Amino acid sequence: TGEYATLLDTELPPIAPMTTRMKLVSFFCGCGGVDLGFRSAGVKVAFASDFNAKAASTYALNLGHAPVVSDIRNVEAATLKAIGDVDVVAGGFPCITFSTAGKRAGVVDDINGKLYLELCRVISTISPRYFVAENVEGILSANGGGAVKLVIAAFLRLGYRTSYELVNMAEHGVPQTRKRVVFVGVRIDQWRGTFVFPKKTQRLANDASAPKWLPIARTLREAIGDLGPPN
């Protein structure tokens, strides 16, 4: 009840406002930020999974779809094939090994660094038309710059042309200075030329190179500062 209920009804409508008849399969789905964007664009979530039960619970409350609580390594091919035709696979594979704040083992980390190969496994099994993956800025320099090349080569071997770009989410309406490398893969039979990333919709206040007609990026206070304490 109250203002939070109104906010949720506005920002997280229980039913997507439109449909493209496209189906999404999501891994490392977390609490659903990426999938909310897809759903808002009319893409139906057909399957989602994350190993964190609390994140999955939040996802279910916000998106009305209960993720499978499981490590991606335990999601079997039969489960994936039972979903049927899939248009998009999304997955933000773990960033801890690529982050500049850690030891930066990169792709030689057998626990986290090779989880992109699990994403490759499910893409190979499902064969979606497209995939979207993301990771931290540090992946560009991890392993002396070799990590990102290896990841791109792995996707190409599966039959996907992949474009990637370092995106500051604050320049696209998110009230947080959050830089992420976004990968967009297109199956070769669907390839129509280089994927063009969306243009910035907002600008950072200290960015002298950004077009002056763009509004300044919102702060967290501007986004939710009017809300009272949660009950």
Side-chain angles (χ1 to χ4, degrees), residues 23 64 81 88 101 106 122 132 142 149 157 160 171 211 219 225:
K23 289 168 58 177
K81 291 179 179 178
V88 187
V122 298
V132 177
K149 295 178 182 178
R157 189 172 183 179
Y160 290 81
E171 297 173 319
T219 65

Side-chain angles (χ1 to χ4, degrees), residues 80-105:
L80 300 173
K81 291 179 179 178
I83 300 169
D85 292 337
V86 172
D87 297 286
V88 187
V89 164
F93 53 99
C95 61
I96 186 171
T97 188
F98 301 110
S99 173
T100 54
K103 295 181 179 179
R104 310 212 70 202

Side-chain angles (χ1 to χ4, degrees), residues 72 109 185:
I72 188 175
D109 177 352

